[in-house]
Amino acid sequence: MTRPGRPRCGPLRAALALSLEADRRATLITFVSFGLRPTVPVVILYLVRVVVDAIVSHDQTALWTAVGAATLATGLSMGSITYAIELNVRMIEATAAVVDRRLMRTIGGLPGVAHLDNPEVLDRVEMLRQERVHLSEGGDVFALVVGAVVRALVTGLVLAMVQPLLLFLPLLALPSLLASRRGQRKRSDAVARSATTSRLAGHLYTTGTSLPAGKEIRLFGLGPALRERYRTAAADADATVTRAVWGGLALNCAGGALFAVGYCGALFFVLHDFARGTTSLGDVVLVLGLVTSISTQLGQAVVFAGFLHQVLSASRRLLWLERYAADVARPAPTAPAPGPRLSTGIRFEGVHFQYPDTGTSVLRDIDLELPAGTVVAVVGANGAGKSTLIKLLTGLYEPTRGRITVDGVDLREAPLEAWYARTSGCFQDFSRLEFTVQHSVGAGSVPHADEAARVWEAVKRAAAADLVERLPNGLATELGASFDAGTELSGGQWQRIALARACMRRAPCLLVLDEPTAAIDPLAEDALLSAYVDAARQSAAAAGGITLFASHRLSTARGADLIVVVDSGRIVQLGRHGDLMAQRDSIYRDLYERQARAYA
Ligand SMILES: Nc1ncnc2c1ncn2[C@@H]1O[C@H](COP(=O)(O)OP(=O)(O)OP(=O)(O)O)[C@@H](O)[C@H]1O
């Protein structure tokens, strides 16, 4: 597993940069406002001291000047708060959107999909999903911390003016703050330790509340078992974190007790000075007010320090993920981008493949030549390795050993994005993109997604015109439950939309169709497959394109130029239908005849 190197900037800077990127003006105003506002109560207490001393000494000018200044400070503070809070909320919302975009970009930018199989990456992504909110509050929390620090400094300064020894009082708050920091560390370590269990609990929750799983949950009476498994997983994750929180609380209490002793000492000290006549009544009022407010400030500082810790640990995770993405990025390509036309074809040379963090190879000793312009069928039993072969061909995974070449160029050396752009496909676990039909299909070629004529052409090539014509608003029909009045489609209808999406690129060098008709009725299946063979021939003529489909139904493979029979991760037979049927001890013929009898 790749270990990311050191990030280029610290977590605090990274968190602040997010707020500034989201809304610079709101962030700066929040800093100024939240940074200065906490000093207002200290200033007012100081003015109260002036008022008290002015009353004692009958100094009318000082009295009314101080009352006026206190009124002005309170008014300004009250007047500005609504505006500042409004901007603060705006800053948090805008930052949340920036964080989401960053996460989508980072995760979407990981080369291929192998990293999304990595449990450590999945755990970090899951934690980041949970902690996104802390990242969006980074600017806000930093402003609160700055405010607390400024207030502590001003309080210390004012106390020192009365009696320099009182300056030590705020210092007694330090152990409490350090204890809180340690407690927060324990908590976030516990969150990291329980990430896998939390991920499992999250999966169980999503399964228990999602529409697709709802049918089986009811039919099989899975609800109670699912809830019980969720309860156990959530309780496990929670117990780990709760233990850490209790440990942190004990430390906090010890720190708080130390401060309480100092607080009592300070009160005793000032009252003693007043009794001796070395401080004024105003000083006593001032010190009593400030010392009392220090305990509130301390409580706030502990909370803010906790918030800051959450922001920093979320920011560290984001930096880790970004660094990881940068470290696993493919080296600059040394081969040119594949051209628009395939001349010789694609070759597998001694390819082995093993999924990340698994001990077994699912593809072994694959040597295979797919000539340009051919229609290839990959057949085999469940788990034989058909989909994996397709994922390697499209560059979504890299071989663990051996190489795949396109017109003689090793795919690892070619620019991956350029190869993606020359391919198209419909995967077994195709996406149900809940957009309008136009955009759900058009997503197959983003530059042409808004061109209705181009989208219709793809819909027709996927033999899905009858489906789209029957929808209430044709191409403008909104699909899925994400829309208020979205049209829900059947499984087969969604697959036709996914197939139409695969047809948006007119002449790809490689078109892969993994079980393209699995959810489609047998009558439509025939029409669809002939449409594909026609399209494949056109693509072959235009771009030397290879059309490769994986299927369990061997009858669909009959017309292919090449049939690849895969069994337990190895190619066991290769050839045209007639040749394979004619071979002695042919696994293909055996399977074909058994299927023919079963479907007869
Ligand atoms: N993401 C993954 N991580 C680990 N193992 C995987 C993953 N995907 C597939 N496998 C394993 O790889 C093997 C081949 O799977 P693959 O999906 O390629 O088979 P298939 O021939 O397409 O099967 P089916 O006909 O059922 O779709 C299986 O044993 C499967 O358990």
Side-chain angles (χ1 to χ4, degrees):
M1 149 99 203
T2 313
R3 294 270 150 204
R6 285 180 69 76
R8 271 188 294 268
C9 75
L12 181 60
R13 216 171 118 195
L16 290 180
L18 288 170
S19 291
L20 287 167
E21 182 186 336
D23 192 330
R24 180 171 291 269
R25 189 176 63 117
T27 304
L28 294 177
I29 292 179
T30 302
F31 280 173
V32 174
S33 158
F34 283 30
L36 292 183
R37 260 184 53 80
T39 57
V40 172
V42 184
V43 171
I44 288 175
L45 268 175
Y46 184 80
L47 293 170
V48 169
R49 170 212 190 226
V50 176
V51 168
V52 171
D53 284 346
I55 292 170
V56 172
S57 62
H58 305 288
D59 182 345
Q60 293 293 321
T61 317
L63 173 67
W64 291 113
T65 309
V67 167
T71 312
L72 185 69
T74 312
L76 277 178
S77 164
M78 296 280 284
S80 63
I81 189 68
T82 321
Y83 181 64
I85 287 179
E86 206 45 59
L87 273 181
N88 184 32
V89 171
R90 152 96 208 101
M91 176 185 81
I92 292 174
E93 284 171 357
T95 311
V98 169
V99 171
D100 287 354
R101 280 204 309 273
R102 276 273 281 270
L103 272 175
M104 286 166 82
R105 194 171 58 220
T106 308
I107 296 168
L110 288 169
V113 292
H115 301 284
L116 300 180
D117 281 329
N118 179 331
E120 189 170 359
V121 175
L122 286 180
D123 281 350
R124 303 252 178 177
V125 169
E126 173 59 27
M127 281 190 276
L128 263 173
R129 265 197 209 112
Q130 291 175 15
E131 292 173 350
R132 269 156 58 233
V133 61
H134 302 318
L135 275 177
S136 61
E137 288 168 357
D140 173 55
V141 168
F142 185 64
L144 288 173
V145 170
V146 168
V149 171
V150 171
R151 181 168 175 168
L153 290 176
V154 175
T155 303
L157 194 75
V158 175
L159 283 174
M161 282 161 54
V162 177
Q163 166 54 263
L165 277 178
L166 289 177
L167 200 52
F168 286 104
L169 188 60
L171 290 183
L172 286 180
L174 274 183
S176 195
L177 283 174
L178 292 176
S180 142
R181 197 163 152 235
R182 201 171 141 68
Q184 285 296 335
R185 271 223 180 111
K186 278 167 162 270
R187 186 183 188 284
S188 52
D189 288 349
V191 168
R193 278 200 308 281
S194 63
T196 307
T197 329
S198 290
R199 190 150 52 85
L200 172 66
H203 167 70
L204 291 167
Y205 170 77
T206 312
T207 309
T209 52
S210 73
L211 205 59
K215 296 187 282 298
E216 287 173 56
I217 289 171
R218 280 163 187 73
L219 204 66
F220 301 136
L222 290 176
L226 208 57
R227 283 195 293 279
E228 180 52 27
R229 288 180 72 172
Y230 171 78
R231 197 192 62 74
T232 315
D236 269 6
D238 190 50
T240 313
V241 179
T242 305
R243 267 195 303 279
V245 168
W246 278 110
L249 274 182
L251 283 172
N252 268 347
C253 289
L258 183 67
F259 180 75
V261 172
Y263 174 78
C264 293
L267 286 184
F268 177 79
F269 190 64
V270 172
L271 289 173
H272 181 255
D273 273 3
F274 180 65
R276 282 175 42 213
T278 50
T279 51
S280 70
L281 183 62
D283 286 339
V284 174
V285 171
L286 175 64
V287 171
L288 273 177
L290 284 180
V291 168
T292 310
S293 78
I294 286 178
S295 62
T296 317
Q297 285 177 47
L298 178 62
Q300 280 181 350
V302 167
V303 173
F304 296 163
F307 288 165
L308 186 63
H309 183 86
Q310 289 172 335
V311 170
L312 293 182
S313 72
S315 179
R316 264 186 220 107
R317 276 193 241 287
L318 178 64
L319 289 175
W320 183 95
L321 194 65
E322 290 184 336
R323 198 71 214 136
Y324 177 88
D327 287 353
V328 299
R330 287 162 55 105
T334 49
R341 209 187 148 79
L342 202 59
S343 7
T344 51
I346 304 177
R347 281 174 69 97
F348 281 64
E349 298 175 13
V351 168
H352 282 247
F353 180 73
Q354 185 173 322
Y355 281 99
D357 287 334
T358 61
T360 43
S361 291
V362 294
L363 288 181
R364 279 172 288 240
D365 303 320
I366 304 288
D367 286 299
L368 175 66
E369 183 158 0
L370 307 176
T374 50
V375 175
V376 181
V378 183
V379 299
N382 285 129
K386 304 181 293 295
S387 303
T388 308
L389 198 86
I390 285 178
K391 288 187 259 182
L392 289 177
L393 257 180
T394 42
L396 292 170
Y397 286 90
E398 278 183 4
T400 324
R401 227 164 62 214
R403 61 180 205 150
I404 298 171
T405 60
V406 175
D407 280 348
V409 172
D410 189 335
L411 254 190
R412 258 181 301 228
E413 287 160 15
L416 192 56
E417 302 297 331
W419 177 234
Y420 289 156
R422 297 279 173 228
T423 64
S424 189
C426 180
F427 295 95
Q428 204 172 14
D429 51 351
F430 55 85
S431 299
R432 298 180 176 207
L433 296 183
E434 299 199 352
F435 306 147
T436 57
V437 177
Q438 161 102 32
H439 289 133
S440 196
V441 172
S445 176
V446 176
H448 303 106
D450 288 323
E451 295 170 22
R454 181 75 183 256
V455 171
W456 262 118
E457 182 190 314
V459 166
K460 285 181 188 151
R461 282 173 63 191
D466 56 334
L467 160 67
V468 177
E469 274 158 7
R470 280 200 309 268
L471 290 174
N473 296 310
L475 288 184
T477 307
E478 294 168 334
L479 296 179
S482 302
F483 292 101
D484 274 348
T487 300
E488 197 41 89
L489 299 181
S490 70
Q493 289 171 329
W494 271 117
Q495 189 168 31
R496 281 165 169 236
I497 295 292
L499 285 165
R501 184 155 62 238
C503 293
M504 277 296 288
R505 285 191 176 148
R506 274 184 181 143
C509 292
L510 173 70
L511 173 66
V512 292
L513 304 165
D514 195 353
E515 295 293 345
T517 54
I520 291 173
D521 64 78
L523 292 179
E525 184 182 3
D526 269 352
L528 196 65
L529 283 167
S530 0
Y532 270 115
V533 172
D534 287 351
R537 302 289 173 216
Q538 280 171 25
S539 162
I546 296 171
T547 297
L548 181 143
F549 63 91
S551 178
H552 290 289
R553 284 186 225 167
L554 299 198
S555 59
T556 59
R558 251 188 342 200
D561 302 316
L562 180 68
I563 298 171
V564 183
V565 187
V566 186
D567 186 30
S568 304
R570 289 179 197 278
I571 295 179
V572 290
Q573 269 184 298
L574 203 60
R576 281 178 172 272
H577 174 77
D579 304 333
L580 297 182
M581 290 298 280
Q583 280 174 13
R584 273 159 41 102
D585 300 327
S586 168
I587 298 178
Y588 177 81
R589 190 185 56 223
D590 182 44
L591 275 173
Y592 188 88
E593 286 173 355
R594 277 197 284 151
Q595 277 196 7
R597 278 197 297 275
Y599 287 119

